[in-house]
Amino acid sequence: MKYLVKKFDQPLKGAVQLTSSKSESNRALLINALSGNQLQLHNLSAARDTQTMQRLLKESGEVWDVLDAGTTMRFCTAFLAVKGSGQTITGTPRMCQRPIGVLVEALRKLGAEIEYLGQDGYPPLKIIGIKDQQASLIEIPGNISSQFISALLMIGPSLPDGLTLRLTTEVFSRPYIEMTLDLMRRFGVQSLWEGNEIKIA
């Protein structure tokens, strides 16, 4: 097979539209859902994790299956703690081997009722949700997955007393936390990060 390549005498001018990253898209979808889906989002990632997030946020089933989407598992666990009605969240066998205990413990301190349906510290989970907020200050290590921290930050505005996260160790994934806070600002959420504390009204 032969190809004919033509040389242009002048530079080409144009623009290539790139889709958003999975990290940006999944955060934007969750924040929008928490704020009542007031905005129509465009240019979302085509990744399966993002497609799974969109599917789950549109349905009202009793079982939320995230498949193998780790970001979706962590973000939707926090979402169901403030917006759910007793759903079970699960995933593939491999997903049910990925630890989620740090996030569950933090949500329990906030007042969520969460039951492990298998091994403690791992999905699947039965999430009753937060009826009365039990705390507004949560201590959590900074060297864990930023997805745990981001999940908590994003539900902060939905809590009656807001949320302050005190990071008890060095922060390993600061850019991803800053991405979360920046996207929240675009939805009108004010935050303050001073020292080792992040405050969400």
Side-chain angles (χ1 to χ4, degrees), residues 73-74 77 88-105 108 114-127 148:
M73 169 63 76
R74 291 157 177 174
T77 294
T88 294
I89 188 166
T90 188
T92 63
R94 178 68 185 96
M95 175 57 60
C96 292
Q97 295 174 350
R98 298 178 65 177
I100 199 168
V102 173
L103 178 58
V104 169
E105 184 61 28
R108 283 175 168 175
I114 302 177
E115 177 187 354
Y116 292 114
L117 299 181
Q119 182 181 354
D120 280 4
Y122 299 86
L125 309 170
K126 174 77 170 180
I127 304 173
F148 291 144

Side-chain angles (χ1 to χ4, degrees), residues 22-189:
K22 175 180 69 175
S23 296
E24 291 175 313
S25 297
N26 283 10
R27 284 165 171 78
L29 283 166
L30 196 83
I31 298 166
N32 195 40
L34 287 164
S35 59
N37 291 308
Q38 298 182 45
L39 299 180
Q40 186 174 359
L41 303 181
H42 301 279
N43 199 38
L44 294 168
S45 169
R48 191 168 82 159
D49 282 26
T50 299
Q51 294 173 356
T52 300
M53 175 76 83
Q54 289 178 284
R55 170 178 59 82
L56 291 174
L57 292 174
K58 288 178 181 177
E59 67 180 37
S60 57
E62 289 302 307
V63 177
W64 285 33
D65 187 351
V66 307
L67 304 176
D68 58 358
T71 305
T72 306
M73 169 63 76
R74 291 157 177 174
F75 289 178
C76 285
T77 294
F79 175 83
L80 291 174
V82 294
K83 297 293 185 180
S85 56
Q87 287 89 343
T88 294
I89 188 166
T90 188
T92 63
R94 178 68 185 96
M95 175 57 60
C96 292
Q97 295 174 350
R98 298 178 65 177
I100 199 168
V102 173
L103 178 58
V104 169
E105 184 61 28
L107 292 170
R108 283 175 168 175
K109 289 178 180 177
L110 290 171
E113 295 182 34
I114 302 177
E115 177 187 354
Y116 292 114
L117 299 181
Q119 182 181 354
D120 280 4
Y122 299 86
L125 309 170
K126 174 77 170 180
I127 304 173
I128 303 300
I130 300 171
K131 296 177 181 177
D132 296 302
Q133 186 175 354
Q134 300 298 313
S136 59
L137 171 63
I138 297 293
E139 292 189 342
I140 195 167
N143 58 3
I144 58 171
S145 169
S146 63
Q147 293 174 11
F148 291 144
I149 297 171
S150 292
L152 292 167
L153 292 173
M154 287 188 286
I155 66 168
S158 300
L159 299 171
D161 300 325
L163 178 65
T164 297
L165 285 188
R166 179 176 293 158
L167 306 174
T168 59
T169 66
E170 179 185 359
V171 179
F172 280 5
S173 302
R174 189 180 185 101
Y176 283 99
I177 300 173
E178 290 176 339
M179 176 198 295
T180 301
L181 295 174
D182 179 62
L183 284 167
M184 292 172 68
R185 278 191 289 271
R186 293 168 184 260
F187 281 82
V189 177

